[in-house]
Amino acid sequence: MRRLLRWLLRRDPGLAATRRAPRIAIAASVGFLACRYGVGSPTMAVYAAFGVLGFGVFSEVRGTPAQRTRTILCCCLAGLVLVSIGTLLAVDTWAATVGVLVAGVAVALLALGGPRAAGVVVGLHLLYILPSFPPFAPDQLPERLAGLVVGTGLLALADRFLWPPATPRPFAARAASAARAIGALLEALPAGGEECDRARRTATWAADRLRLGNVPVGERPTGPGTVDRGLTHLAAALRALHGRVEALEDLAPAVLAGPAGPGGSVHDPDPTALLAAVAASLAETADALAGHHTPPGLDGLDAARAGFTARRLRALRTLGPGEQTVRRAETVVAVAQIAEEQRIVVLATHAVRRPDQPVPAPTVPGEDPAEGPFSYAGQPLPVLWWRRLRCHLSLRSVHLQNALRLGVGLALARLVAGELDVAHGFWVLLATLTLMRTSAGTTRAALPPAMLGTTIGGALAIVVVLLAGPYPVATAALLPVVVVVAVLSGRLAGVVASQACFTLVVAVLFSQLAPPTWQLGPERVLDVLLGAVIGLVVGAAVWPAGGHGEVRRAAARCLDAAADLVDGTTDWLAGVAPVAEVTRRLSVMSVGLVRYEATYTQFRSERHTGHDHDLDWLAVLGVVHRVSRGARSALAEPPGPDEAVPWPDLTARLRHDVEVVADRYHRWAVVLCREGDDPHPVPGPPPGFVHAGLLAVADLPDRAEHAVRALRLVDAWGWLGWLADDLVLLERLAPTSEASLAVA
């Protein structure tokens, strides 16, 4: 027994499927048998069973117990509408085909709502296609709706009281741990030693757990609501803050030495007070996310930041020219960016903890919060859903591609099944629904195990029908047993066993509705084969590359937008462009990032073969995110009018360096569009260009008279340094391939 338990825990961590199987079996069996033999309605029995199986087996109902109950109840209401429409349109093949197309696309777009909404898409599709085939009996609609209510009601009760699923750890708890760990690292930096090493390891581990790839699908905050978007903002800002702290560690001797350090001066921009304010704010953020404290304010952080900026301006006026000034300039940029990222962390925490209120301050001075990155805070959920949908109403959106692909596949399956008068046409659509994937390659890979499992299940169904079919009591007793085995088999034995067992479940169910015949098994196999072939044909004809085909183009568009944003932001820092131009380019970048993130999520879910020369697309996503956040950080400070820099030669030098960096981002976009990942045709920026630019600023004889202008130039070159490092990162991560195409 101990060996069996260890084996079970290896195959089923946490015994999630082991608890789920009897829960689903009891709900499905009670609903089906009560309606079939207690009420005497076979129609109610079918819809009660599929109400449980649709959302208990073919769907993933995720979240806390209260969230799961709300999800099931919402699915019941939506199912009542879908069953009604499907029943009324089913009498005519062409009307039913158009209805399946429209409903297929509309329901598939629910995936825009994040994992909780995406998890029930298959179950809702199932309820629509279930009444689309004989018997065409609109007069049975009340029984169908009653059966659905019985099934979903039993599922909701079983989910709460029969071995309920474990409550997932909230993503906010991960963010709280990361905030606390990064704050502890900041506090440990000045002392160094073993304590600092321990804090560094803890902070790295906590920040890495915020990557969506390291978060279970059901816990990922990818929905359009304020809380989910705030958590996404929060995770990105915390990871960026951790990256800046890591960079600061390399420069710690220069930065943290302060006025007493070697070669220091009382006018040095000592960052100790600002870093302490950031650490304190991080501790308050962690308490707020854990529910122990209200969201922190910005007064202390902004005051410390203003003091640090004032010290930077004094240092620019008083420190002499040469290497020491350059060394200080290179390092304090990291400190200023740490403070800016923490400001984003605080605002995101407000959005998470107080979703019905706007954030208390803009991210950029003078900007309307309703127009900034936190414009979603305080907005009604329908408005946020519309914004998300509008962003994806493009043929370049993988969500729209998936919805159209699935809708066309289901419509074609319905038309073929109706025109050929297939005996069990429902199973043709079910096969198309469950076997069609987001790329042709993944669909082909899913077909062999599904066909093998269905064939095995059909053979078993013949045996069951011949032995137990004439005895309703025997098949009724078998029903909960085969449902338990079917639910468990997918986790313990794989797709083949799962497909075989569900074929057997179908045989046991329908043997109690009509006199069973041995043809049921072979017919099920033929139906699945027909549905799978339709899925393959549509998958090969409609965006067959799936996420892999789109992620390259999405990355290229984001890199192009990043290059434009770099160009516009540095123009503003040099005083030759208005701030409105930067905010316009930020808006373009934001739309591109939303689509890129969705595309990357789908890409990670697909089967990858023959793509050995891909870039690390997550690293590219991180690069463009850092460009966006760096632009916002540049807009935040230092304050000053949009006036031209009084050093035309220095402005021309900055423009040349900006053009070099932006050109490299544009070239990377061209490389990706031409299906090549070889970085050698994209030379990096010349080494030492940042140091040379900062040295030119340090050697200005009149920089004390124009300290704000000089500080903006320092920040501009400091930002270009980070961007150049990202270009080096791309080159290091890109595989070299002889097949990669050169870019002139």
Side-chain angles (χ1 to χ4, degrees), residues 33-258:
L33 297 176
C35 292
R36 175 65 182 90
Y37 298 107
V39 181
S41 172
T43 300
M44 280 187 64
V46 170
Y47 280 80
F50 278 96
V52 176
L53 297 177
F55 300 111
V57 176
F58 294 101
S59 301
E60 288 286 343
V61 179
R62 303 181 172 104
T64 64
Q67 288 174 332
R68 293 196 304 271
T69 300
R70 285 197 298 269
T71 299
I72 294 172
L73 294 180
C74 289
C75 288
C76 178
L77 295 176
L80 295 176
V81 175
L82 293 172
V83 169
S84 300
I85 296 174
T87 299
L88 297 176
L89 295 180
V91 294
D92 180 78
T93 297
W94 284 99
T97 300
V98 173
V100 167
L101 174 64
V102 174
V105 173
V107 172
L109 286 175
L110 284 177
L112 290 169
R116 286 176 53 205
V120 299
V121 164
V122 174
L124 291 173
H125 275 128
L126 179 64
L127 291 182
Y128 186 82
I129 65 177
L130 186 60
S132 295
F133 294 94
F136 301 128
D139 57 301
Q140 292 183 354
L141 181 57
E143 293 180 73
R144 294 176 176 182
L145 299 182
L148 177 59
V149 171
V150 169
T152 51
L154 287 171
L155 178 63
L157 292 173
D159 180 80
R160 293 299 289 267
F161 302 112
L162 290 179
W163 307 286
T167 301
R169 186 169 187 251
F171 188 83
R174 291 173 178 256
S177 298
R180 191 170 286 109
I182 297 171
L185 176 59
L186 277 174
E187 292 175 345
L189 274 181
E194 185 178 343
E195 181 181 351
C196 183
D197 292 339
R198 214 167 26 245
R200 182 185 305 112
R201 289 191 296 270
T202 302
T204 300
W205 173 80
D208 194 55
R209 293 180 73 241
L210 295 178
R211 294 179 58 165
L212 291 187
N214 295 331
V215 180
V217 174
E219 300 176 26
R220 295 177 184 175
T222 55
T226 300
V227 174
D228 274 13
R229 294 188 64 183
L231 286 171
T232 303
H233 246 122
L234 179 65
L238 283 171
R239 292 190 63 225
L241 194 155
H242 176 255
R244 293 299 180 250
V245 173
E246 282 186 325
L248 183 63
E249 283 190 88
D250 298 332
L251 306 167
V255 176
L256 300 175

